[in-house]
Amino acid sequence: MPQLPLSKVSLEDYRQQEQTAEFRSEYRDGEIVPMTGGSINHNRIVRNLIRLLDTAFLENKNFEVFPSDLRIWIPQYRRATYPDISVVSGEVVFNDDRADEILNPYLMVEVLSKSTENYDRGNKFLAYRSIDTLREYLLVSRFAPIKN
């Protein structure tokens, strides 16, 4: 028996679901994709990177650092993602006047995991490159120590 195509979810239904969801999901042009939870080490790396970025941008008030709860909307791909860290230069530009979804990241950081590394380096990066304001995309490995 042939499989019926999955019905697509509207962006508004996705947004409403995200407001009360226990776990976050990405939106990929009508498909809702649950995100994996971060390990304790993942969260430690993100915390430390936020501290470093906040310190680096302390003198330049033009930049603002945000943790992973701020959603990025990518219009060209009709995709909503939650990078581990995003940095905005200048005023934050909200999508559809939403306080939880922005259009203008300057820098995005992803801490790689075994389950997300290929996506972070591949299709997600392809979508991120369509954002006009994006200048830097930083991938951080949890598995490869920094060598001096």
Side-chain angles (χ1 to χ4, degrees):
M1 184 164 118
Q3 281 191 334
L4 296 173
L6 296 174
S7 60
K8 290 201 171 213
V9 176
S10 74
L11 180 57
E12 281 310 311
D13 286 346
Y14 161 75
R15 287 173 172 165
Q16 286 178 0
Q17 177 182 313
E18 283 296 283
Q19 289 177 347
T20 59
E22 192 172 326
F23 300 101
R24 291 187 317 239
S25 299
E26 287 190 355
Y27 181 83
R28 300 180 191 166
D29 194 19
E31 181 183 357
I32 294 178
V33 181
M35 295 176 62
T36 60
S39 69
I40 187 118
N41 286 335
H42 178 103
N43 282 290
R44 285 175 178 147
I45 292 168
V46 170
R47 177 198 64 209
N48 291 338
L49 286 169
I50 288 173
R51 283 184 189 158
L52 287 169
L53 288 168
D54 269 339
T55 301
F57 293 127
L58 193 59
E59 294 296 318
N60 188 339
K61 302 283 188 213
N62 196 40
F63 293 95
E64 192 167 3
V65 181
F66 296 99
S68 61
D69 289 335
L70 187 62
R71 190 168 55 242
I72 307 294
W73 176 247
I74 307 166
Q76 182 176 334
Y77 287 86
R78 294 191 38 78
R79 184 171 289 189
T81 67
Y82 293 91
D84 289 316
I85 302 168
S86 56
V87 177
V88 172
S89 176
E91 292 292 318
V92 175
V93 177
F94 294 102
N95 186 35
D96 293 335
D97 295 323
R98 300 188 57 84
D100 60 349
E101 194 172 272
I102 68 166
L103 295 166
N104 65 323
Y106 178 87
L107 161 71
M108 288 193 287
V109 180
E110 296 287 1
V111 177
L112 301 174
S113 69
K114 289 179 181 174
S115 65
T116 64
E117 182 172 2
N118 288 337
Y119 174 57
D120 289 341
R121 291 182 183 278
N123 286 337
K124 185 185 267 187
F125 183 41
L126 178 68
Y128 282 174
R129 290 191 324 210
S130 72
I131 301 171
D132 289 339
T133 59
L134 185 67
R135 295 299 174 261
E136 299 291 336
Y137 181 49
L138 177 62
L139 299 173
V140 179
S141 174
R142 293 182 354 194
F143 309 105
I146 297 172
K147 296 180 182 177
N148 292 333

